[in-house]
Structures are given as C-alpha cells and as structure tokens.
Amino acid sequence: MDYYSGHITKLIEAFSSLPGIGAKSAQRLAFHVLNMPLEQVDELTEAISQARRNVKYCKSCLTLTDEEMCPICSSSKRNHKQIMVVENPRDLAAYEKTGKYTGVYHVLHGAISPMLGIGPGDIRLKELMQRLQGDVDEVIVATNSSLEGETTAMYISKLIKPTGIKVSRIASGVPVGGDLEYIDEVTLLRALEGRTEL
Amino acid sequence: MDYYSGHITKLIEAFSSLPGIGAKSAQRLAFHVLNMPLEQVDELTEAISQARRNVKYCKSCLTLTDEEMCPICSSSKRNHKQIMVVENPRDLAAYEKTGKYTGVYHVLHGAISPMLGIGPGDIRLKELMQRLQGDVDEVIVATNSSLEGETTAMYISKLIKPTGIKVSRIASGVPVGGDLEYIDEVTLLRALEGRTEL
C-alpha cells in the first residue's frame, strides 16, 4: 500500500475495514472522496457521526431508531398483540416494504449459531419473553431460512409453547418468479412438504 | 426508506451516493457503522475528513499526495527522463506494484471521451507538454486499453511526435494466464498484430 501517501493509505484502510468492501472498491471509494466537494465530504462524515451517536434501541421492539420508542411501536394503528420476530432491522424493513403486515416486531439482533459461539443468551430473547407477559395473541417467527435462523426458530417455539401463545413460522418454499431448475434441493423439498391444497 | 428513522435514512443515503454502493450495500454499511465502537467510527470520519483536506496534487506528476511533490518525483533513484502517462493514481499504483518500472509518471486525471464531452483541454495534457520542455528521453503512454484510452494515446502521440521525443505505447494482447477461448475478438486480433518473433 505504500504506493499511496499516508492520508490516502489510511483512508483506503478505513474503507477496507467495512463489510463487503475489498481492496479495489476501497481504492475507488477513497479516490472518489478525494474528488468530492468539501461540503459533500462533511455531510458524509456528519451523517456517519450523528447516526452513530444518536441512534438507539427502541425500548419495546429493540429496532434501531432516533426516539425512545420506534414509530411502529408507538403507532396505535398497529396490532400490538401480533409480534413478528426478526433477526435484524433490515429484515424488519423488508417486511415493512410489503406494506401488508399490521402487527409489531421484535428484533433479536442475531441468531443462535453454535458455530460462531452465539447462544440464546447472546440475542434479545429475554426481552421477547418479557413482552409476552403482556397481552399477546401470536408470535410469528420470521428469522432467516438459514441453519442459524431455523435453529433460532425452533428454540423460540419451544420456549413459547408452554405459555399457550400461538407461535407460527413464515413459510419456506420456491420464491415467487423463481425458476425450479435453479433452486436448491432443500428448498424444493421444503416447498413440497409445505404444499397447500388448491 | 421511511422504514428507518431519520438518522439511519440519512446515513443510508450518504452511503448510496458513493460509487459502486447500491441500496442493499448501503443498508449493510449503515447498520455496520451503527454497531461499530465509537472510537472506530471517529477514526473513519477522521480519515475521510483529513484525507480530503490534506491531499494535494504532486506539482510535477499530478498524482495525489500529502506533500508538494510525491515520493516518486522526489526520488533520486528514479529515471526522470522516462515518463509513463497514466489516466489516474490507481493506474500509477498498479504499475508501482510490479516493482520493475524505474521511471516517473504523469497522471492525466481522465481520458479524452467525446461521448462524455471530455476533450483534450479537460485532462492534464498541458502540464505534460510543459514537462517535456525539460530533459526527457521517452514518454510511455499507459492509458487504458479502452476506446477513451486509445483515443487519448493517439492524441498524445500526435502531440509529442513533432518534439522528437520517443513515444511508446504499452502492448495490448492476451493477459498472462488468459484462456484464449474466453478472450474477445479485438484483443485476439491485437495479440496477433503485436506478435513477436521467438
């Protein structure tokens, strides 16, 4: 990296440390920043700094938000008796984009992964169980369809069953528009098992 | 984007405005930053701000550097009579990584592109011609092997020829390790035209 001067090298290294940004992209980003108008650069650093300093966890669903309580949890239009459990705020956003889900969420901030040493105590399950002491009809487990997501879903289901609250799991199967030919065997089998009558 | 709070939305938008970062990557980056230790976040914004404020053009070759003159132009070990013309500092770094080039560079900061409305006056050609009034033996044109790069190379060659200074162009052909079967026709023809005796 000593082909570049100190400041440039530091900048490239800072960008490389971000997820999904390799050596080449980091270089491209660095030179882009060096050519950006100064105000725009200050806007970027300000956005980073302000977000990191002011964003907090919603005290109810634990998603990231600017307020004590997120807009969804504070809304009277949402059904607070239906809680969808997701792994992270991006998954919450994905379901919000559908515009059809009217319940609220609970963000685990992770999934159980024995491989990575992440146990049930490392994700926000305790907070979920606390919420269930209130008036809740249904918990929809919408963790990812990965090994970790499935493990987490099974764990949550076992945890909640004794309380008598309904626990459901989002369906897995062939994605809409998916071409069977390109879909992995596990998904195809899941789709078969989960078939519904027409 | 109103699935996220104000600060998060601003941060995602700031990242999306960078080149090569789409909506999904911007989200991933934003949530990564929100989970980073505060000192690391400050290091990142500091690196961006300091680089943008302190990096300048080398007064000789015009690459980006921290000093008045870059380490290559200030080195007495380099052959200052041999100038390699490149489009940008990343191309300079690519040749420096080979460790075999001992001359100096000239960075054009672009290439002639009638399509994008970039003419000879928009790249740093005037500065190159000024340098040629000194003691120069050879100009090696190492612009990209793209339409713009080739146009620029031809333009430079016509400009320099009358001065009597030797102008050369880096070879184009099949990349080392390249499989003929996957290489485009233009490159194959170039490789044929540029064949050398064994």
Tab-separated table of all heavy atoms in Angstrom, chain B residues 91-119:
chain	number	residue	atom	x	y	z
B	91	ASP	N	-3.957	3.679	-11.536
B	91	ASP	CA	-3.158	3.033	-12.577
B	91	ASP	C	-1.675	3.164	-12.243
B	91	ASP	O	-0.884	2.246	-12.465
B	91	ASP	CB	-3.468	3.664	-13.935
B	91	ASP	CG	-4.922	3.431	-14.351
B	91	ASP	OD1	-5.560	2.544	-13.757
B	91	ASP	OD2	-5.401	4.131	-15.255
B	92	LEU	N	-1.299	4.317	-11.698
B	92	LEU	CA	0.077	4.509	-11.244
B	92	LEU	C	0.409	3.435	-10.202
B	92	LEU	O	1.428	2.748	-10.305
B	92	LEU	CB	0.198	5.912	-10.641
B	92	LEU	CG	1.536	6.402	-10.096
B	92	LEU	CD1	1.545	7.929	-10.045
B	92	LEU	CD2	1.844	5.852	-8.722
B	93	ALA	N	-0.481	3.262	-9.226
B	93	ALA	CA	-0.244	2.274	-8.168
B	93	ALA	C	-0.118	0.875	-8.760
B	93	ALA	O	0.699	0.075	-8.310
B	93	ALA	CB	-1.365	2.316	-7.140
B	94	ALA	N	-0.927	0.576	-9.791
B	94	ALA	CA	-0.880	-0.751	-10.414
B	94	ALA	C	0.507	-1.013	-10.990
B	94	ALA	O	1.081	-2.090	-10.810
B	94	ALA	CB	-1.945	-0.864	-11.502
B	95	TYR	N	1.097	-0.008	-11.671
B	95	TYR	CA	2.448	-0.197	-12.221
B	95	TYR	C	3.508	-0.204	-11.126
B	95	TYR	O	4.506	-0.924	-11.213
B	95	TYR	CB	2.774	0.837	-13.312
B	95	TYR	CG	2.675	0.200	-14.683
B	95	TYR	CD1	1.570	0.394	-15.487
B	95	TYR	CD2	3.672	-0.672	-15.126
B	95	TYR	CE1	1.443	-0.238	-16.713
B	95	TYR	CE2	3.562	-1.311	-16.345
B	95	TYR	CZ	2.452	-1.097	-17.138
B	95	TYR	OH	2.335	-1.747	-18.338
B	96	GLU	N	3.296	0.580	-10.056
B	96	GLU	CA	4.264	0.582	-8.958
B	96	GLU	C	4.323	-0.789	-8.286
B	96	GLU	O	5.375	-1.221	-7.833
B	96	GLU	CB	3.904	1.647	-7.918
B	96	GLU	CG	4.391	3.029	-8.271
B	96	GLU	CD	5.900	3.062	-8.488
B	96	GLU	OE1	6.634	3.057	-7.505
B	96	GLU	OE2	6.328	3.090	-9.664
B	97	LYS	N	3.181	-1.480	-8.254
B	97	LYS	CA	3.147	-2.790	-7.613
B	97	LYS	C	4.033	-3.797	-8.336
B	97	LYS	O	4.497	-4.754	-7.733
B	97	LYS	CB	1.708	-3.321	-7.571
B	97	LYS	CG	0.930	-2.793	-6.385
B	97	LYS	CD	-0.509	-3.268	-6.412
B	97	LYS	CE	-1.389	-2.288	-5.634
B	97	LYS	NZ	-2.807	-2.451	-5.926
B	98	THR	N	4.245	-3.602	-9.633
B	98	THR	CA	5.115	-4.524	-10.362
B	98	THR	C	6.540	-4.395	-9.837
B	98	THR	O	7.323	-5.339	-9.919
B	98	THR	CB	5.139	-4.224	-11.875
B	98	THR	OG1	5.790	-2.967	-12.091
B	98	THR	CG2	3.735	-4.155	-12.453
B	99	GLY	N	6.889	-3.232	-9.294
B	99	GLY	CA	8.214	-3.023	-8.720
B	99	GLY	C	9.332	-2.958	-9.755
B	99	GLY	O	10.508	-2.909	-9.405
B	100	LYS	N	8.980	-2.974	-11.046
B	100	LYS	CA	10.013	-3.052	-12.081
B	100	LYS	C	10.178	-1.759	-12.862
B	100	LYS	O	11.164	-1.589	-13.595
B	100	LYS	CB	9.666	-4.169	-13.095
B	100	LYS	CG	9.585	-5.545	-12.501
B	100	LYS	CD	10.945	-6.053	-12.072
B	100	LYS	CE	10.849	-7.490	-11.563
B	100	LYS	NZ	12.040	-7.864	-10.776
B	101	TYR	N	9.227	-0.863	-12.753
B	101	TYR	CA	9.317	0.372	-13.522
B	101	TYR	C	10.134	1.394	-12.738
B	101	TYR	O	9.843	1.662	-11.567
B	101	TYR	CB	7.919	0.908	-13.824
B	101	TYR	CG	7.943	2.226	-14.572
B	101	TYR	CD1	8.465	2.302	-15.858
B	101	TYR	CD2	7.476	3.388	-13.964
B	101	TYR	CE1	8.515	3.503	-16.532
B	101	TYR	CE2	7.515	4.604	-14.630
B	101	TYR	CZ	8.037	4.654	-15.917
B	101	TYR	OH	8.101	5.847	-16.581
B	102	THR	N	11.144	1.943	-13.360
B	102	THR	CA	12.060	2.831	-12.631
B	102	THR	C	11.930	4.294	-13.051
B	102	THR	O	12.607	5.151	-12.492
B	102	THR	CB	13.523	2.395	-12.857
B	102	THR	OG1	13.744	2.345	-14.277
B	102	THR	CG2	13.784	1.028	-12.249
B	103	GLY	N	11.072	4.553	-14.048
B	103	GLY	CA	10.886	5.933	-14.480
B	103	GLY	C	9.920	6.673	-13.567
B	103	GLY	O	9.616	6.216	-12.461
B	104	VAL	N	9.434	7.818	-14.046
B	104	VAL	CA	8.440	8.575	-13.281
B	104	VAL	C	7.095	8.536	-14.032
B	104	VAL	O	6.988	7.868	-15.061
B	104	VAL	CB	8.913	10.033	-13.045
B	104	VAL	CG1	10.133	10.046	-12.135
B	104	VAL	CG2	9.187	10.741	-14.359
B	105	TYR	N	6.110	9.240	-13.505
B	105	TYR	CA	4.769	9.178	-14.084
B	105	TYR	C	4.235	10.560	-14.445
B	105	TYR	O	4.788	11.584	-14.031
B	105	TYR	CB	3.790	8.561	-13.084
B	105	TYR	CG	4.091	7.132	-12.749
B	105	TYR	CD1	4.940	6.829	-11.683
B	105	TYR	CD2	3.552	6.090	-13.482
B	105	TYR	CE1	5.231	5.502	-11.363
B	105	TYR	CE2	3.833	4.772	-13.174
B	105	TYR	CZ	4.676	4.483	-12.113
B	105	TYR	OH	4.957	3.183	-11.796
B	106	HIS	N	3.138	10.545	-15.200
B	106	HIS	CA	2.336	11.751	-15.356
B	106	HIS	C	0.873	11.313	-15.313
B	106	HIS	O	0.459	10.447	-16.094
B	106	HIS	CB	2.633	12.477	-16.667
B	106	HIS	CG	1.900	13.779	-16.767
B	106	HIS	ND1	2.388	14.942	-16.223
B	106	HIS	CD2	0.702	14.084	-17.293
B	106	HIS	CE1	1.518	15.913	-16.425
B	106	HIS	NE2	0.480	15.411	-17.077
B	107	VAL	N	0.109	11.889	-14.392
B	107	VAL	CA	-1.283	11.463	-14.221
B	107	VAL	C	-2.219	12.455	-14.925
B	107	VAL	O	-2.245	13.644	-14.607
B	107	VAL	CB	-1.646	11.370	-12.723
B	107	VAL	CG1	-3.084	10.901	-12.555
B	107	VAL	CG2	-0.693	10.421	-11.996
B	108	LEU	N	-2.967	11.953	-15.896
B	108	LEU	CA	-3.856	12.808	-16.696
B	108	LEU	C	-5.150	13.172	-15.971
B	108	LEU	O	-5.783	14.167	-16.310
B	108	LEU	CB	-4.220	12.103	-18.009
B	108	LEU	CG	-3.089	11.853	-19.004
B	108	LEU	CD1	-3.626	11.011	-20.166
B	108	LEU	CD2	-2.538	13.174	-19.516
B	109	HIS	N	-5.545	12.358	-14.995
B	109	HIS	CA	-6.840	12.513	-14.319
B	109	HIS	C	-7.986	12.478	-15.315
B	109	HIS	O	-8.837	13.362	-15.358
B	109	HIS	CB	-6.871	13.798	-13.480
B	109	HIS	CG	-5.955	13.722	-12.305
B	109	HIS	ND1	-6.281	13.057	-11.154
B	109	HIS	CD2	-4.695	14.180	-12.123
B	109	HIS	CE1	-5.272	13.124	-10.303
B	109	HIS	NE2	-4.294	13.792	-10.859
B	110	GLY	N	-7.994	11.428	-16.117
B	110	GLY	CA	-9.076	11.246	-17.073
B	110	GLY	C	-8.542	10.796	-18.425
B	110	GLY	O	-7.347	10.546	-18.600
B	111	ALA	N	-9.449	10.675	-19.376
B	111	ALA	CA	-9.088	10.304	-20.735
B	111	ALA	C	-10.048	11.053	-21.649
B	111	ALA	O	-11.147	11.423	-21.243
B	111	ALA	CB	-9.216	8.800	-20.925
B	112	ILE	N	-9.601	11.286	-22.868
B	112	ILE	CA	-10.445	12.001	-23.834
B	112	ILE	C	-11.664	11.137	-24.159
B	112	ILE	O	-11.528	9.961	-24.485
B	112	ILE	CB	-9.653	12.313	-25.117
B	112	ILE	CG1	-8.480	13.248	-24.775
B	112	ILE	CG2	-10.551	12.920	-26.186
B	112	ILE	CD1	-7.487	13.426	-25.928
B	113	SER	N	-12.857	11.707	-24.028
B	113	SER	CA	-14.077	10.960	-24.339
B	113	SER	C	-15.111	11.882	-24.966
B	113	SER	O	-15.832	12.587	-24.266
B	113	SER	CB	-14.635	10.342	-23.052
B	113	SER	OG	-15.932	9.843	-23.293
B	114	PRO	N	-15.179	11.885	-26.295
B	114	PRO	CA	-16.173	12.735	-26.966
B	114	PRO	C	-17.587	12.405	-26.473
B	114	PRO	O	-18.416	13.291	-26.299
B	114	PRO	CB	-16.009	12.372	-28.444
B	114	PRO	CG	-14.633	11.794	-28.556
B	114	PRO	CD	-14.381	11.113	-27.255
B	115	MET	N	-17.833	11.127	-26.178
B	115	MET	CA	-19.141	10.692	-25.685
B	115	MET	C	-19.540	11.417	-24.403
B	115	MET	O	-20.687	11.813	-24.226
B	115	MET	CB	-19.096	9.192	-25.364
B	115	MET	CG	-19.237	8.299	-26.536
B	115	MET	SD	-20.905	7.608	-26.620
B	115	MET	CE	-20.915	6.623	-25.118
B	116	LEU	N	-18.585	11.557	-23.473
B	116	LEU	CA	-18.857	12.214	-22.200
B	116	LEU	C	-18.508	13.702	-22.244
B	116	LEU	O	-18.525	14.384	-21.224
B	116	LEU	CB	-18.064	11.544	-21.068
B	116	LEU	CG	-18.370	10.069	-20.802
B	116	LEU	CD1	-17.403	9.484	-19.795
B	116	LEU	CD2	-19.804	9.930	-20.283
B	117	GLY	N	-18.135	14.185	-23.438
B	117	GLY	CA	-17.798	15.592	-23.569
B	117	GLY	C	-16.478	15.966	-22.901
B	117	GLY	O	-16.287	17.116	-22.511
B	118	ILE	N	-15.576	14.997	-22.772
B	118	ILE	CA	-14.268	15.296	-22.177
B	118	ILE	C	-13.248	15.460	-23.302
B	118	ILE	O	-12.922	14.507	-24.012
B	118	ILE	CB	-13.822	14.173	-21.211
B	118	ILE	CG1	-14.873	14.005	-20.104
B	118	ILE	CG2	-12.444	14.476	-20.616
B	118	ILE	CD1	-14.640	12.813	-19.205
B	119	GLY	N	-12.784	16.670	-23.493
B	119	GLY	CA	-11.835	16.961	-24.556
B	119	GLY	C	-10.411	17.012	-24.045
B	119	GLY	O	-10.185	16.877	-22.842
